[in-house]
Amino acid sequence: MKRKSGTVLTALFAALICAGCFIQIPLAGEIPIILNDMLALLSGLILGPVYGGAAVLIFLILGSVGFPVFSGAAGIAVILEGPTGGFLAGFLLGSITGGLIMGNKPATWLRTSIASIVSMIVLFIAGALRFAMLFPDKNVWTFAVLPFIPGTIIKLAVMIPVTRKFRAVIARYNS
């Protein structure tokens, strides 16, 4: 990816991830269903590990310094002490992982599906581990994973074709 277009797309994806916090479905548990995660993972899948990871990092920095881009709160304490902190860290880890799997190779259905699923698994592992540390008396599967599986399947069904389409568009734009 050319540096100039990579920088512009990084800023665009950081803004999209930030905007994603305003679209959420509250659940009875601690963590709502949001679009930030899908947008964060898409940044890595579409832009690659460097630019995609940078977009997520910008989002995390903005939220850490007080911009209201995290679901329901802002500030560094959300990451360090809140129940969503592991998921927020998982945004970055999942984005980088998905970008690494995609590499500079063509966005085939198989590669894109594997990259999307693995990046989402990385995100869930980070989130579930943090949740388990904060709430050792709660069943992580019941509170932090199971309620989100239907929404995650829908997000994956969107992420895969969107990744394939936009990677092709960006490749044409950068050639």
Side-chain angles (χ1 to χ4, degrees):
M1 184 176 306
K2 293 179 183 176
R3 184 180 172 131
K4 184 176 181 182
S5 62
T7 304
V8 170
L9 290 168
T10 298
L12 173 65
F13 269 87
L16 287 172
I17 299 165
C18 290
C21 80
F22 298 106
I23 304 167
Q24 55 183 279
I25 301 165
L27 294 176
E30 302 285 335
I31 304 163
I33 294 176
I34 55 168
L35 290 186
N36 294 75
D37 58 344
M38 182 180 77
L39 295 166
L41 298 180
L42 276 172
S43 71
L45 295 167
I46 294 171
L47 303 180
V50 174
Y51 290 109
V56 177
L57 190 59
I58 291 167
F59 157 76
L60 293 172
I61 290 169
L62 290 172
S64 295
V65 299
F67 285 88
V69 296
F70 298 154
S71 84
I76 190 71
V78 174
I79 294 174
L80 298 178
E81 301 168 4
T84 60
F87 289 96
L88 291 168
F91 288 7
L92 181 61
L93 297 173
S95 176
I96 292 169
T97 301
L100 288 171
I101 293 169
M102 291 301 292
N104 290 328
K105 299 174 181 98
T108 64
W109 282 105
L110 181 61
R111 177 176 288 107
T112 306
S113 298
I114 290 170
S116 298
I117 292 167
V118 170
S119 65
M120 193 65 82
I121 289 170
V122 167
L123 186 156
F124 268 96
I125 289 171
L129 288 173
R130 176 69 179 161
F131 193 88
M133 288 174 26
L134 290 176
F135 303 104
D137 57 326
K138 291 188 178 182
N139 182 320
V140 173
W141 177 255
T142 303
F143 286 95
V145 178
L146 189 60
F148 303 98
I149 290 177
T152 298
I153 291 169
I154 293 168
K155 290 174 189 178
L156 288 169
V158 170
M159 286 168 56
I160 294 166
V162 166
T163 298
R164 293 193 73 234
K165 180 67 175 175
F166 280 96
R167 278 182 66 97
V169 168
I170 290 169
R172 282 193 309 267
Y173 177 74
N174 283 322
S175 57

